[in-house]
Amino acid sequence: MVTHPPTSAFDSTKIKSPSAVVSVLISNNGQFDSDYSGNNIARCVEWRLEAGWSKALYVDGNWKLFPLSQISSPPNHFTYVGNRWSDCKLKINDVQHSDEGHYFFNFVTTLNRWRSKRSAHLSVKELTAVVQPSTVTEGDFVRLTCVSGCLTPVNIVWFRDGQRVPNPVFRAGREDAGRYYCAVLGRETARSASVALSVQYAPSKVKLSMSPSVVKGSSVTFTCSSDADPPVTQSGYSLYKDGHVISSGQTHTISDIQPSHRGLYSCQAWNNISWRGIALINSTEVQLDVQYRPENISISMDPPHVVEGSSVNLSCSSAANPAADNYTWYWASVSSSSSLIQVGSGQVLSLPSVEASHTGLYLCQARNPLGQNNSTEVLLAIKEKDHGSQSLPILAGFGVFVFVTLLLLLLFFWLKKRTRAEKKETVYDLRLSGRGSSSSASEPSNSVYANIHAMPSSPAPVISAQDTPPHSQRKSHHEHDVPTSYEDEVTYSTVTIKARNPSLPHHTNNSRVAPDSRFKAGENDDSVIYASLAESS
């Protein structure tokens, strides 16, 4: 500001926003000073040959007037838009703070030089944008204020990053962050300096970047990113695998990937700002797929023991990602160091009827797009047919047949022997006649008689009661007359003779008794039971 401006007949003019391309018109409506007093002022316009403006500058402790053409300024910064008769307007383009000051109008006629007695003062003021508060948390209110410095009110409009802001008071969201400036309505090019609004919010768009498919043995790098204000620091990131934290930091590298590293990975971000009560924000899970060629290849044999002529299946299994899509079978002889011979393809090698020539070492080769690997060799040993074993059921049946036959023979002989024994024990009824009353009287009623007969194969002679010797004589006679060859066929029988009526006397029936008669008792005397035993061969 000029502290001691010269006197002027012009009104002071205020211009806003020195950074904008704004033109100001300064006109002369005052009086003129003249080097010659008493000249007719009314006729000066007619004699005007040159018209222009000067600016008062404070140089070396004194105020001096300098024509605008002698002041350093951009081209066309000062433009005289008046005429030489009645209009003396000055236009200043792109007003700056350096344009502040006192301006004087002057003109030259054929008779003299004229200059205004009073100056026109130009005051340049800035539009100042105020954002309160300049840093807020998402959801807080923000108020925009524009300070013009002008005494007269002006209509103000707001912009954010070049976009019109409809309301100077609003609830801040993360999308409201940016640079704000104000301008005078109708002169939007004359604007204030921009002011930044920072809206803090919890991390969003948390993302985990990595290669989803890697080959075993290679390396993989996990990188976490997010949209947050303030930005998430290194310590604010955590890496998870299958729900378990494995590291902290924005990046994590595994240099030697193994199948065990396969799983679901996610990233977690935190910047100490919560959103709806949530401070830890997770990314979506990403599946890490570790690919490798076939390994752990094994062969199983069904059945495990093979007999010549039977069938066997050899199955090949492996661990691979992607799964093995090609299997090849090779065979090598055990006896010689011959090279491997391809004998089949497919996961299962079937031998429907094995022979001795199939004996040897078998190997399976599994392949997928990443490569191939071989299994360990498996020996197929074939047992010869056991012909004796085929006749075993026949021998077993024959043995059972012999055993049953012997059992039946033994049973037959046992029954036959029992039959003979029953025949030897056949009891014949005999009526034994007594030899006298004395004999009868002398024997008790419960006398026991024993008659032993050795019956030859020829029919036995009929023996009468009269010819029967006394008991003692019969015994001795029997002992001497019976051949010794019959001794092993003698059957002893004890016969007890009981009288049915003890009061009745015993008597002897003199009737003959046939050798084969069985238990025939007399009809008239039933008090005595006679028994005789006979054995017929």
Side-chain angles (χ1 to χ4, degrees):
M1 291 289 288
V2 177
T3 57
H4 300 286
T7 60
S8 172
F10 299 108
D11 294 332
S12 176
T13 302
K14 294 181 179 180
I15 303 299
K16 299 166 283 298
S17 183
S19 60
V21 180
V22 177
S23 63
V24 59
L25 298 178
I26 302 176
S27 60
N28 184 358
N29 59 356
Q31 299 178 356
F32 294 91
D33 292 335
S34 174
D35 294 336
Y36 303 97
S37 61
N39 291 340
N40 191 353
I41 302 301
R43 297 178 60 185
C44 71
V45 176
E46 298 178 0
W47 301 337
R48 188 183 306 173
L49 299 178
E50 293 182 6
W53 288 82
S54 299
K55 183 179 179 182
L57 297 177
Y58 193 73
V59 179
D60 297 332
N62 295 311
W63 287 98
K64 296 181 179 180
L65 290 177
F66 292 90
L68 296 180
S69 60
Q70 296 179 9
I71 297 174
S72 176
S73 62
N76 301 320
H77 183 66
F78 297 104
T79 304
Y80 181 72
V81 294
N83 52 40
R84 295 180 182 181
W85 297 273
S86 61
D87 191 359
C88 53
K89 293 178 179 179
L90 173 67
K91 182 178 181 181
I92 303 176
N93 296 311
D94 190 14
V95 177
Q96 301 296 322
H97 278 290
S98 60
D99 294 326
E100 282 189 349
H102 293 268
Y103 291 84
F104 292 86
F105 176 73
N106 57 76
F107 64 92
V108 178
T109 66
T110 54
L111 300 177
N112 208 342
R113 293 177 180 271
W114 299 84
R115 186 189 73 230
S116 60
K117 293 181 179 181
R118 291 184 301 226
S119 65
H121 181 259
L122 175 62
S123 176
V124 178
K125 300 294 184 180
E126 289 189 22
L127 292 176
T128 303
V130 178
V131 178
Q132 295 177 325
S134 60
T135 300
V136 296
T137 302
E138 188 175 20
D140 293 345
F141 281 97
V142 175
R143 181 181 296 277
L144 304 177
T145 304
C146 187
V147 179
S148 66
C150 296
L151 298 178
T152 58
V154 293
N155 293 326
I156 301 297
V157 290
W158 284 92
F159 296 88
R160 184 192 75 242
D161 298 331
Q163 301 296 323
R164 180 80 177 264
V165 177
N167 195 340
V169 179
F170 56 90
R171 186 185 293 271
R174 64 186 65 185
E175 66 280 358
D176 294 321
R179 302 193 69 84
Y180 288 78
Y181 60 86
C182 61
V184 176
L185 181 63
R187 294 184 179 182
E188 285 79 4
T189 54
R191 63 188 187 184
S192 68
S194 61
V195 179
L197 172 63
S198 177
V199 180
Q200 295 185 343
Y201 52 91
S204 64
K205 301 178 182 178
V206 181
K207 182 180 179 182
L208 176 63
S209 301
M210 68 175 192
S211 177
S213 180
V214 294
V215 179
K216 176 184 175 181
S218 62
S219 63
V220 63
T221 299
F222 301 88
T223 303
C224 294
S225 62
S226 65
D227 176 20
D229 191 359
V232 179
T233 62
Q234 283 286 336
S235 60
Y237 287 104
S238 298
L239 182 64
Y240 286 78
K241 176 181 180 285
D242 296 330
H244 302 284
V245 62
I246 59 174
S247 70
S248 62
Q250 193 170 5
T251 61
H252 178 75
T253 301
I254 301 176
S255 58
D256 185 15
I257 286 290
Q258 296 297 319
S260 59
H261 292 129
R262 182 180 182 183
L264 291 173
Y265 289 81
S266 63
C267 177
Q268 188 179 80
W270 172 79
N271 69 341
N272 204 29
I273 303 296
S274 63
W275 178 72
R276 296 181 181 179
I278 301 174
L280 300 174
I281 311 300
N282 296 327
S283 69
T284 56
E285 292 183 324
V286 180
Q287 174 73 42
L288 175 63
D289 187 24
V290 181
Q291 297 184 345
Y292 53 95
R293 64 181 182 175
E295 57 186 31
N296 299 329
I297 305 173
S298 61
I299 297 176
S300 59
M301 187 162 38
D302 183 28
H305 304 290
V306 185
V307 179
E308 184 178 4
S310 62
S311 63
V312 64
N313 290 330
L314 301 178
S315 300
C316 185
S317 61
S318 66
N321 186 25
D325 54 5
N326 184 277
Y327 292 91
T328 306
W329 291 89
Y330 295 91
W331 172 88
S333 176
V334 180
S335 58
S336 63
S337 59
S338 60
S339 60
L340 295 173
I341 300 174
Q342 182 176 343
V343 293
S345 62
Q347 193 168 3
V348 178
L349 177 65
S350 297
L351 302 176
S353 180
V354 295
E355 300 175 357
S357 60
H358 291 142
T359 301
L361 297 173
Y362 287 81
L363 178 144
C364 171
Q365 183 184 84
R367 180 193 299 271
N368 71 354
L370 298 179
Q372 64 186 28
N373 259 330
N374 297 335
S375 69
T376 55
E377 297 175 337
V378 173
L379 174 63
L380 175 61
I382 301 174
K383 296 181 179 180
E384 295 182 357
K385 285 185 178 181
D386 189 359
H387 298 285
S389 62
Q390 294 181 356
S391 59
L392 183 62
I394 300 176
L395 293 177
F398 180 75
V400 173
F401 173 75
V402 173
F403 175 76
V404 172
T405 303
L406 292 176
L407 186 62
L408 291 176
L409 289 174
L410 290 175
L411 182 61
F412 175 75
F413 285 114
W414 180 77
L415 291 175
K416 185 175 181 182
K417 185 174 181 181
R418 183 176 178 182
T419 303
R420 287 184 177 179
E422 288 177 355
K423 287 182 179 181
K424 290 178 181 180
E425 293 177 0
T426 304
V427 180
Y428 297 95
D429 291 338
L430 297 175
R431 292 180 180 271
L432 300 178
S433 58
R435 291 294 185 181
S437 59
S438 59
S439 176
S440 299
S442 63
E443 295 179 359
S445 60
N446 293 332
S447 299
V448 177
Y449 300 90
N451 297 326
I452 301 171
H453 300 277
M455 303 300 294
S457 59
S458 58
V462 179
I463 301 174
S464 63
Q466 295 178 357
D467 296 335
T468 302
H471 179 72
S472 60
Q473 294 179 359
R474 287 199 306 267
K475 182 177 180 181
S476 62
H477 182 268
H478 180 73
E479 292 174 355
H480 294 285
D481 293 343
V482 176
T484 58
S485 61
Y486 296 149
E487 289 180 0
D488 57 348
E489 296 181 4
V490 175
T491 301
Y492 297 92
S493 175
T494 300
V495 180
T496 302
I497 303 173
K498 294 181 180 180
R500 293 184 180 180
N501 189 352
S503 62
L504 297 177
H506 297 280
H507 63 272
T508 303
N509 189 354
N510 295 326
S511 61
R512 295 182 178 272
V513 179
D516 56 350
S517 62
R518 298 182 181 181
F519 300 98
K520 292 184 180 180
E523 297 178 357
N524 297 326
D525 191 358
D526 56 0
S527 62
V528 180
I529 299 174
Y530 302 92
S532 63
L533 299 178
E535 180 181 0
S536 61
S537 58

